Amino acid sequence: MATGNQSNLCSICNKPSAKYLCIGCKKYFCAKDFKEHEQQLSTKFDNEIIQSHDELLDQIRKLEKSNSLALDLFDEIEQWKNMTINKVEKAAEKAQHELIELIDKQRITIIKQFESITSEIRHRREEENFVENDIDELKQKINEIKQNLEQFTQIETTMTIIVNNDQIDWNRLIYIQEQQLDCEYIALKI
């Protein structure tokens, strides 16, 4: 926020003593109303950014503690493995490892996005360096991470297990494949 031309009227009280220009909303303010405007921005930042950030942090912490994301797939792999020969057991172990790596990869991506926005929020809060546009931009980034997290936590509903026992190719018997549509999801092929 910068000092402006004294001939401008305060956008709140309409007094001609407006000396301060908010570079975010492009409005002029007198000293009293300028301080109030800054306080409103600070409150808006806390209510819209910090609160959304904290809610997202809670969801990510729950995700980090949860191992249930792929349990149904592991159960199906295990049942299939029990009905097959030794070569099939080895293929199942390989598929489980690939599934864990893929889930970890997606979880790490979400966590890195979250850590980046956390750093930016802390910096802006410490420096008190933000205007309306910054709040809107940070809120949009938080919403994008929320959407990615929601898509990731819905992963079980988009997974498919396909069983085909005809003419088995022992090198491709079971594998994990990441497919791209509107959102990323995991397909387990048996």
Side-chain angles (χ1 to χ4, degrees):
M1 297 190 193
T3 302
N5 188 340
Q6 287 187 347
S7 66
N8 293 304
L9 296 177
C10 174
S11 65
I12 303 293
C13 67
N14 290 324
K15 291 182 183 175
S17 60
K19 297 179 184 178
Y20 301 95
L21 170 67
C22 173
I23 61 172
C25 66
K26 307 289 190 239
K27 292 181 183 177
Y28 286 90
F29 298 92
C30 65
K32 175 185 166 257
D33 290 332
F34 184 69
K35 288 203 179 294
E36 184 177 319
H37 182 65
E38 285 181 321
Q39 182 59 43
Q40 289 171 347
L41 281 176
S42 181
T43 300
K44 185 175 182 180
F45 187 88
D46 288 345
N47 291 343
E48 295 183 18
I49 301 302
I50 302 299
Q51 183 178 352
S52 293
H53 172 269
D54 292 347
E55 289 170 2
L56 186 56
L57 174 62
D58 287 342
Q59 290 175 337
I60 288 176
R61 284 183 177 154
K62 288 177 186 175
L63 174 67
E64 288 177 334
K65 294 177 183 177
S66 172
N67 289 330
S68 65
L69 204 52
L71 287 179
D72 290 340
L73 289 176
F74 286 125
D75 288 344
E76 288 187 45
I77 291 170
E78 199 60 35
Q79 290 172 10
W80 172 79
K81 184 174 75 171
N82 291 333
M83 294 185 296
T84 60
I85 61 175
N86 189 27
K87 288 181 180 180
V88 174
E89 288 179 338
K90 291 178 184 177
E93 291 171 5
K94 179 182 176 219
Q96 289 173 343
H97 178 72
E98 290 172 354
L99 180 60
I100 289 169
E101 285 179 352
L102 183 57
I103 290 171
D104 284 344
K105 175 184 155 190
Q106 292 175 345
R107 182 174 38 225
I108 288 168
T109 299
I110 290 172
I111 290 170
K112 283 183 180 178
Q113 290 171 340
F114 181 76
E115 288 172 349
S116 174
I117 191 78
T118 298
S119 176
E120 185 174 348
I121 289 170
R122 282 185 185 142
H123 172 73
R124 290 192 181 277
R125 171 47 73 209
E126 289 170 2
E127 300 293 323
E128 293 190 12
N129 180 19
F130 50 87
V131 294
E132 288 85 353
N133 295 344
D134 297 325
I135 291 172
D136 293 342
E137 180 182 332
L138 288 169
K139 191 168 186 170
Q140 181 180 355
K141 287 180 181 179
I142 287 173
N143 286 336
E144 288 173 12
I145 296 171
K146 279 183 184 178
Q147 288 175 349
N148 290 343
L149 181 60
E150 287 172 6
Q151 289 174 355
F152 180 68
T153 56
Q154 297 299 322
I155 210 166
E156 286 182 339
T157 61
T158 59
M159 290 185 189
T160 305
I161 298 179
I162 300 171
V163 178
N164 184 357
N165 292 329
D166 298 337
Q167 298 178 339
I168 295 173
D169 176 359
W170 291 100
N171 293 322
R172 299 284 293 164
L173 185 61
I174 183 171
Y175 58 94
I176 304 300
Q177 179 178 341
E178 183 176 15
Q179 298 180 358
Q180 298 281 334
L181 287 178
D182 290 341
C183 63
E184 287 187 16
Y185 67 94
I186 301 171
L188 175 65
K189 297 192 178 188
I190 299 176

